[in-house]
Amino acid sequence: MSFRLKMFVLFPLVVVAAVAIVSVGVTVFTRRAFERLDSSHTDAIVSQFQREFASQGQRIVRGIQDISGSEATLNMAIHLNARDIDPSAYGHDAVSVASDHHFAFLEFAGNDGSIISSMQWPARFGYKETWLLQRADWPAHGAFLQKVDTPDGPELGLIAVSVLPVAGSNLYTAGGERLDKSFLSSLSLPPGMRALLYVNLDANFSAQNLTAVDGPAPQADRFAPLVARELQQPGEITATVHWTPDAASDEVFHLLPLLGPDKNLLGVLFVGSSRHDLVLLERDIRRLALLVGGIALALGILLSWWAAVRVTRPVAKLVTGAQEVASGNWDARVAIHSRDEIGTLAGAFNQMTGQLAEQRERLIQTERVAAWRELARRLAHELKNPLFPLQITVENLRRAREQHAADFDEIFRESTDTLLAEIQNLKTIVGRFSDFAKMPRPELHALDVNEMVRGVTRLFEPRFIAPGEPKITTELHLDEKLPLIQADSVLLHRAIGNLVLNAIDAMPNGGTLALRTVAHDSGVRLEISDTGAGLTREECERLFTPYYTTKLHGTGLGLAIVQSVVSDHGGRISVSSEPGHGTTFRIDLLERPPNVTSIDSVSVKSKKPAEPVLERKV
Amino acid sequence: MRRTLSARSTTSSLLFALLFLALPTSAARRPRYGGMLTIDLQARVTSLDPAQKQGTVADQIVQEQLLRLIADRLVELGQLGQPKPALAISWQHNDKFTRWEFHLRPNVKFQDATPLTPQPVIDSLQAVNPTWRVSSANDSVIVESDSPLPELSCILAEAQNSILLREPTGEVIGTGPFRLTTWEPGHHAVFAANDDYWGGRPFVDGIDVQMGRTVRERMIDLDLGKADIADVAPDRARIDASRGVRISASDPTELVALIFSRSSTRAKDIRIRQALSLAIDRSSLVDFVLQKEGAPAGALLPQWSSGYEFLFSTAPDTAAARQITSQISPAHALRLGYDADDSMERMIAERIAVNAQAAGISISVRAIGIDSPGGAANHAANHAADVPEYDARIVRLSMCSPAPEVALGDFLQTLAQLADLDPSLTAPLNDPINPGQLHSRERAVVDTYEVIPLVHVPEVVGLSARVRDWIPARWGAWHVADIWLDGVAP
């Protein structure tokens, strides 16, 4: 992925990530704010319910005490203690008294708990309310929740009991208010909240016992598990009811258990808070985030494209400049004039390439001088050897003419032979240099490298076994699946022959010469190894330098010629050596050399010789 | 219980005359003519024609009371229930009680001055007794029947056998002490004294009857003197009396009973009916619901009428009921219905439900009648499901006659229509029958537990202070013609 593409992708990603983080943060913050608000509302309603509960309880206690302390009730108690007891006369009293005091429930019961008059269920007269006898401290008990039997079934009441003792007998007055939807209506609920009351009067959950302010609660069966939890362990709990798969219908309920005097669960107050507004707000935030994210993404794409282009354009110029430098154009320069880091970098690049060009020029000049010096030295060395005999021979001739005239002819003949020999030697030296200067271009043919290797080996075979010569053993490891390659057989034969000669020279005491061919993806590999003394790293690095030789009488042109041949075939040559363990030359040749036309090609382009690859075993 | 004394007889008139002469200061107690008697009634009577049956028992009773104002019967019943002459001055029957001959009182005129002749009598009796053959012979009316009619003289004393002229407009004209001057069906009626009444002109000049009055309105009218007579629910009699209202109650003439529905499947087992009968505390119903205005009913007829009701147990036996219930374990609650407009029925039904619950029988109480909340809906729902809307219901049966044979016969005739009783048990009492046979017939009916007698209830009225000589029959019939108003200018 390019730097421009990276920047192009990175900017929108950053924008989207930022929007996403902000939207998530806002959503979380909003949700927590809603939850805090819900919690505070719920607490307020529960507190309001408890205050209302306590207030109603106080009113009921006062009312019951008033009834119990009234003259009429006292007369009733006195009458009931009389000998001629006729409680039926009071059978309707509870109805009228309860009506006067606005009580939904009221009962008068005798000393044994028998109902004298019942407002809520007049037909139960004479039956006993045994629960009235279970406590003696009713006045201190205040108002409490109590299951009240009525003709329509049990109901939940907020009840108070007052006891009127007369002549050793008690007259119980028990009454209060119905705890139902009308009680719920006394609660002021904020929008989105509601209160439900479950009256736990049946053995099992009954949907009819769950009421809202405006009547029976719909889908009351959904509350059964919550009531079951309260029945199992009464306590304040909070639960969420999912009415539909839509989260907007969710409702969070806070459950407040309503316990009787014996801590038995008689009812449950549900304070519900709709999640509708929260979910809608979250959806709005999400939609807004998507909208903003989309717009930001579009803008980000445009801006990032512009920025990427703007930022990466000088970088691309730098890259182009670097590539030109890498391809050898040392004069490459980057035209960037900004004052930022990129401009500084471009300036540094231009300065660096300028310095590199100067250094290269100096290096070339230095190398050129060095080469000329080396050439001069080599020429001087090569020429000095024949010249010295020439000089001696000429001086011998002069001296023989002057001092040994008689022998002059003999000496002259011998000296001219020597002169001719040395001149021939000079011609040979000059010819070698001439040959190196005039390396021909390769003429490519289909070549079987294995066959060529065998031919070179056969050429040197007599020398390997010649008497007086060091004993050299030849090993051929040829890959029979080696493909034919396009190569100049003469040049390649000459190069391999040079390498074989070098190997022979490297093994003055004999050894093993191994030639190995291996096919690879793009061509063939040829390895020529000897078991000679090996080369040092410095020797390896300079091995392919023209006129450099490690041999006493070498011209230093052999390996240079080999490198030139391999390079002209688009291949490459490397050497690996380890002192004491021999040397291996490795030639990689392409099956079809690039930019090197075959003999049928219209033109053949010269290719700059490849730099040799040096390997050195440690 | 009667709380007023009769004051209209020749003897008493003489006595009053003597007292008037001897004690001038007691002149206020002397009957005097004049004044408008005002009556407040809860019932709504839509017609005075006895052929037009009223919707409820209470309405039916009031229709009969109003009918007695404008019309007479051939026979009246005395305080002991014995027949005595009215429009018929004498009568005789054959040995088989299949032919009766009534001699009409002479010189009697209808309120439109039409003389009383046999034909209107024939028309009146034939209209409501289609199985009879009614004819005339000279000035006599002959009633014949294929089956014996031993109690015909008592039957003819019933209000439905009033002698009337039926006008094409639907108006009825009788020979009674009052004539109808204003009639607003179900709301208002005004009667004027019949100056030509054969029994003598009534004391009051007229009667203003207000119908459809609520309990509260009736009591207020009584307190304010806007009403002289108002009917009072038995269960309120004690309360009203404690407020100073004069209360007059008849002997118990109404049977409140529980009747099981013919189509109910939940009460087919006689044991559950028996258990329910045993569970009911009838004394508590009388004491608390009726506020002691009534009597526990073990039989159909009250003790004062039959003389043998004490042989029927009314004591509850919850333990026995529970034992029976434990054997049958009823799966469904019995649905007990009551008249939605009748608070006394509702209280009785609720009390029965409580008693039954103590015996292990579940009863759901429900109102019957389209006027009741949900009544129509319940009816429709139950009709749709083809099930009765109740398994049993509270009914009120009014004694048509103090004569036990007549009253029981009437009860059985009604029960034959309401309860799932064997026809032999509800067959007419044609032959002369003695108390032992009446008891056996009642016992047979009660032992089916298809009908469970609960209480006998009197007719109760409240009276204003100025009403004098209020002496109703013990079975509740008003004798308004004997009433005079105190403090009325002559």
Side-chain angles (χ1 to χ4, degrees):
Chain A
M1 184 182 287
S2 67
F3 179 58
R4 177 173 294 182
L5 185 57
K6 285 179 182 177
M7 289 192 67
F8 175 66
V9 172
L10 184 63
F11 282 7
L13 283 178
V14 169
V15 170
V16 170
V19 172
I21 290 170
V22 169
S23 61
V24 169
V26 171
T27 302
V28 171
F29 176 80
T30 305
R31 181 177 298 165
R32 288 181 178 171
F34 260 83
E35 287 171 352
R36 282 197 298 272
L37 188 63
D38 280 350
S39 178
S40 63
H41 281 168
T42 301
D43 292 344
I45 291 170
V46 169
S47 174
Q48 186 184 355
F49 178 85
Q50 290 169 338
R51 283 199 306 274
E52 187 70 19
F53 196 85
S55 172
Q56 287 275 28
Q58 290 173 357
R59 187 186 75 81
I60 290 168
V61 168
R62 284 196 301 271
I64 293 299
Q65 287 174 347
D66 289 346
I67 293 171
S68 181
S70 68
E71 195 69 23
T73 307
L74 180 61
N75 290 336
M76 184 193 303
I78 293 171
H79 179 224
L80 291 173
N81 275 280
R83 188 172 297 174
D84 183 17
I85 299 174
D86 182 16
S88 67
Y90 302 98
H92 297 285
D93 281 19
V95 175
S96 58
V97 174
S99 177
D100 292 342
H101 288 77
H102 305 291
F103 280 154
F105 306 121
L106 185 66
E107 278 185 347
F108 294 108
N111 191 52
D112 61 349
S114 297
I115 298 172
I116 297 167
S117 179
S118 174
M119 185 272 169
Q120 62 269 21
W121 199 351
R124 285 194 73 226
F125 51 79
Y127 284 85
K128 292 184 178 179
E129 293 283 22
T130 54
W131 63 271
L132 285 172
L133 309 178
Q134 293 174 354
R135 292 178 185 274
D137 59 341
W138 283 119
H141 207 70
F144 54 90
L145 288 174
Q146 175 71 27
K147 176 181 172 183
V148 180
D149 291 323
T150 73
D152 299 325
E155 295 185 27
L156 186 59
L158 183 56
I159 301 296
V161 177
S162 182
V163 183
L164 177 62
V166 173
S169 294
N170 289 331
L171 176 64
Y172 294 94
T173 304
E177 283 295 333
R178 182 180 288 108
L179 200 68
D180 60 1
K181 60 181 181 182
S182 61
F183 197 89
L184 293 179
S185 64
S186 65
L187 304 176
S188 58
L189 298 167
M193 299 195 76
R194 63 171 175 157
L196 305 176
L197 179 66
Y198 178 75
V199 182
N200 182 42
L201 301 175
D202 297 328
N204 299 315
F205 176 83
S206 172
Q208 296 175 342
N209 290 346
L210 185 67
T211 56
V213 176
D214 52 353
Q219 300 186 56
D221 289 335
R222 300 288 302 274
F223 294 91
L226 301 179
V227 172
R229 285 175 61 184
E230 284 292 350
L231 284 170
Q232 197 172 16
Q233 187 172 4
E236 293 190 31
I237 59 175
T238 301
T240 301
V241 176
H242 307 284
W243 294 110
T244 66
D246 184 5
S249 69
D250 289 358
E251 205 169 3
V252 177
F253 282 95
H254 183 84
L255 278 65
L256 180 69
L258 306 177
L259 304 178
D262 300 325
K263 304 302 178 189
N264 51 327
L265 185 71
L266 293 177
V268 180
L269 176 71
F270 292 80
V271 179
S273 175
S274 173
R275 308 288 285 180
H276 182 264
D277 291 345
L278 171 61
V279 172
L280 289 186
L281 183 61
E282 285 182 348
R283 286 178 181 171
D284 287 345
I285 292 172
R286 204 171 300 132
R287 274 196 291 268
L288 185 62
L290 286 174
L291 180 64
V292 171
I295 294 173
L297 184 62
L299 289 175
I301 289 172
L302 294 175
L303 288 174
S304 63
W305 179 254
W306 175 80
V309 169
R310 185 175 177 81
V311 170
T312 59
R313 186 181 294 151
V315 176
K317 288 181 180 178
L318 282 171
V319 170
T320 304
Q323 287 175 340
E324 288 185 14
V325 171
S327 63
N329 181 13
W330 296 86
D331 296 327
R333 293 292 183 274
V334 178
I336 299 174
H337 307 290
S338 62
R339 295 179 180 178
D340 54 8
E341 291 83 349
I342 298 296
T344 305
L345 179 61
F349 178 83
N350 290 337
Q351 184 179 1
M352 179 190 71
T353 52
Q355 290 175 351
L356 283 175
E358 290 176 5
Q359 289 175 359
R360 177 173 171 273
E361 190 63 31
R362 283 198 295 270
L363 183 61
I364 289 173
Q365 290 177 359
T366 303
E367 285 186 347
R368 191 175 295 154
V369 170
W372 279 113
R373 283 178 179 169
E374 181 65 21
L375 179 59
R377 186 187 65 82
R378 180 59 58 184
L379 278 174
H381 177 73
E382 291 292 331
L383 295 177
K384 188 173 61 178
N385 287 339
L387 286 178
F388 184 70
L390 286 176
Q391 182 182 355
I392 294 299
T393 303
V394 173
E395 286 175 359
N396 283 337
L397 282 177
R398 186 181 290 171
R399 194 179 304 118
R401 173 85 182 217
E402 292 173 358
Q403 295 175 4
H404 307 284
D407 298 328
F408 179 78
D409 291 337
E410 181 65 19
I411 293 170
F412 178 79
R413 191 174 51 253
E414 290 176 356
S415 295
T416 54
D417 289 342
T418 301
L419 286 174
L420 288 173
E422 289 303 326
I423 288 169
Q424 183 60 37
N425 195 15
L426 282 171
K427 286 176 69 178
T428 301
I429 291 170
V430 172
R432 284 182 185 173
F433 280 92
S434 178
D435 289 344
F436 178 67
K438 295 188 294 183
M439 278 293 291
R441 290 179 180 173
E443 294 178 358
L444 303 181
H445 305 274
L447 175 64
D448 185 349
V449 175
N450 286 344
E451 191 57 34
M452 187 193 67
V453 169
R454 290 189 189 97
V456 172
T457 307
R458 278 195 300 273
L459 184 63
F460 285 93
E461 191 68 31
R463 182 169 177 176
F464 296 155
I465 59 176
E469 293 293 331
K471 178 67 174 177
I472 294 175
T473 303
T474 307
E475 293 181 358
L476 295 180
H477 306 282
L478 305 179
D479 185 354
E480 295 304 328
K481 296 181 180 179
L482 209 63
L484 296 178
I485 65 170
Q486 292 294 322
D488 187 323
S489 57
V490 176
L491 292 178
L492 208 56
H493 189 279
R494 181 178 169 186
I496 295 171
N498 281 348
L499 292 174
V500 171
L501 280 174
N502 272 355
I504 293 170
D505 291 341
M507 295 183 291
N509 298 321
T512 301
L513 173 66
L515 290 100
R516 181 179 293 105
T517 59
V518 179
H520 56 74
D521 293 339
S522 55
V524 299
R525 169 171 289 181
L526 171 62
E527 291 180 352
I528 300 166
S529 305
D530 63 57
T531 56
L535 300 170
T536 65
R537 178 178 173 82
E538 291 73 19
E539 288 172 340
C540 286
E541 288 176 352
R542 299 192 60 190
L543 204 58
F544 295 98
T545 303
Y547 314 116
Y548 173 77
T549 182
T550 58
K551 292 182 287 190
L552 186 60
H553 299 290
T555 61
L557 293 175
L559 286 178
I561 291 171
V562 171
Q563 183 198 4
S564 178
V565 170
V566 171
S567 177
D568 287 346
H569 281 78
R572 71 173 191 169
I573 184 170
S574 61
V575 60
S576 59
S577 182
E578 187 177 356
H581 292 83
T583 302
T584 298
F585 288 90
R586 189 174 293 110
I587 298 173
D588 290 312
L589 295 171
L590 300 175
E591 191 173 348
R592 182 172 292 280
N595 300 324
V596 179
T597 56
S598 64
I599 192 169
D600 301 327
S601 300
V602 175
S603 63
V604 177
K605 291 183 179 180
S606 64
K607 189 178 184 300
K608 190 172 182 177
E611 291 293 324
V613 178
L614 304 179
E615 296 178 11
R616 178 174 177 270
K617 293 181 181 177
V618 178
Chain B
M1 179 182 292
R2 291 164 309 191
R3 293 180 183 148
T4 58
L5 300 172
S6 173
R8 192 169 184 269
S9 65
T10 305
T11 305
S12 58
S13 297
L14 290 172
L15 182 59
F16 274 123
L18 290 172
L19 287 172
F20 178 74
L21 293 172
L23 298 169
T25 55
S26 302
R29 303 296 299 170
R30 186 179 63 188
R32 58 180 62 180
Y33 287 91
M36 195 72 173
L37 181 72
T38 305
I39 301 176
D40 271 13
L41 299 172
Q42 182 182 20
R44 293 181 182 274
V45 179
T46 56
S47 172
L48 292 180
D49 188 344
Q52 302 290 324
K53 296 297 183 184
Q54 300 303 296
T56 67
V57 172
D59 294 345
Q60 190 69 34
I61 292 172
V62 171
Q63 183 198 46
E64 293 175 1
Q65 298 284 20
L66 298 182
L67 193 56
R68 290 178 192 279
L69 298 177
I70 63 169
D72 296 308
R73 275 68 49 198
L74 292 178
V75 180
E76 287 290 341
L77 294 178
Q79 284 293 348
L80 300 177
Q82 76 284 11
K84 65 177 187 179
L87 291 181
I89 55 175
S90 65
W91 54 86
Q92 62 262 9
H93 56 81
N94 63 6
D95 294 340
K96 295 182 179 178
F97 299 97
T98 55
R99 186 178 187 282
W100 290 71
E101 183 175 358
F102 295 88
H103 302 284
L104 297 183
R105 183 181 295 275
N107 303 320
V108 175
K109 292 182 180 178
F110 285 96
Q111 290 151 1
D112 63 351
T114 302
L116 175 66
T117 60
Q119 189 56 47
V121 176
I122 292 170
D123 294 342
S124 298
L125 297 181
Q126 198 70 72
V128 293
N129 302 288
T131 60
W132 297 353
R133 293 186 299 278
V134 186
S135 60
S136 64
N138 299 323
D139 290 335
S140 300
V141 174
I142 298 170
V143 177
E144 294 175 296
S145 172
D146 294 336
S147 56
L149 297 170
E151 302 298 333
L152 182 61
S153 58
C154 294
I155 293 172
L156 291 178
E158 296 176 11
Q160 67 168 354
N161 290 319
S162 297
I163 306 305
L164 296 165
L165 287 176
R166 288 182 169 84
E167 296 295 316
T169 58
E171 183 184 356
V172 291
I173 300 171
T175 60
F178 295 91
R179 57 185 170 83
L180 184 64
T181 59
T182 301
W183 178 247
E184 298 174 19
H187 294 284
H188 186 214
V190 178
F191 301 88
N194 183 3
D195 294 333
D196 300 327
Y197 183 51
W198 60 266
R201 183 191 186 279
F203 288 113
V204 296
D205 295 336
I207 304 171
D208 189 316
V209 178
Q210 299 284 342
M211 293 178 281
R213 306 289 284 172
T214 64
V215 173
R216 184 181 180 85
E217 290 170 338
R218 297 199 304 271
M219 288 305 101
I220 290 173
D221 287 349
L222 271 180
D223 288 344
L224 297 179
K226 292 183 178 179
D228 297 305
I229 300 173
D231 57 349
V232 174
D235 55 336
R236 286 195 54 85
R238 181 191 271 187
I239 298 172
D240 293 339
S242 67
R243 293 173 54 248
V245 176
R246 291 172 60 199
I247 296 295
S248 172
S250 70
D251 282 343
T253 58
E254 192 178 343
L255 171 67
V256 180
L258 187 152
I259 296 180
F260 286 93
S261 170
R262 287 173 177 274
S263 53
S264 170
T265 56
R266 300 180 183 182
K268 281 300 178 191
D269 192 338
I270 188 175
R271 291 177 296 177
I272 194 170
R273 302 196 300 268
Q274 182 187 8
L276 182 58
S277 179
L278 288 169
I280 296 172
D281 183 359
R282 293 169 176 78
S283 295
S284 291
L285 291 178
V286 173
D287 291 345
F288 286 89
V289 179
L290 301 179
Q291 290 291 294
K292 295 188 178 298
E293 289 291 353
L300 302 179
L301 295 177
Q303 173 67 24
W304 68 268
S305 176
S306 68
Y308 56 72
E309 195 205 4
F310 68 92
L311 297 175
F312 292 81
S313 174
T314 59
D317 190 345
T318 306
R322 183 174 286 280
Q323 187 176 4
I324 295 172
T325 307
S326 66
Q327 295 170 359
I328 54 180
S329 300
H332 300 287
L334 293 177
R335 296 160 298 184
L336 178 58
Y338 64 88
D339 186 345
D341 296 329
D342 194 326
S343 62
M344 188 181 77
E345 280 193 23
R346 179 178 60 81
M347 276 292 293
I348 290 175
E350 288 180 353
R351 179 64 180 184
I352 289 173
V354 174
N355 290 153
Q357 189 179 32
I361 303 171
S362 178
I363 286 183
S364 64
V365 177
R366 55 184 61 191
I368 299 173
I370 57 173
D371 294 335
S372 63
N378 289 337
H379 178 78
N382 286 311
H383 182 71
D386 199 20
V387 295
E389 63 183 18
Y390 53 85
D391 300 300
R393 67 165 298 174
I394 306 294
V395 296
R396 299 173 69 167
L397 303 177
S398 179
M399 291 176 65
C400 64
S401 168
E405 303 87 350
V406 178
L408 183 60
D410 186 55
F411 278 174
L412 293 178
Q413 191 177 352
T414 304
L415 292 177
Q417 301 168 6
L418 299 176
D420 188 17
L421 292 172
D422 189 285
S424 64
L425 298 177
T426 57
L429 303 171
N430 293 328
D431 295 328
I433 192 167
N434 59 42
Q437 291 171 317
L438 284 176
H439 168 263
S440 298
R441 177 67 75 91
E442 273 208 73
R443 172 61 71 186
V445 171
V446 171
D447 284 352
T448 64
Y449 297 103
E450 293 287 353
V451 179
I452 300 177
L454 300 172
V455 288
H456 285 117
V457 183
E459 287 188 31
V460 183
V461 295
L463 303 172
S464 70
R466 68 174 189 163
V467 174
R468 293 287 183 264
D469 288 348
W470 168 259
I471 309 172
R474 65 185 307 179
W475 60 91
W478 298 346
H479 292 163
V480 182
D482 296 336
I483 294 174
W484 58 276
L485 298 175
D486 197 5
V488 176

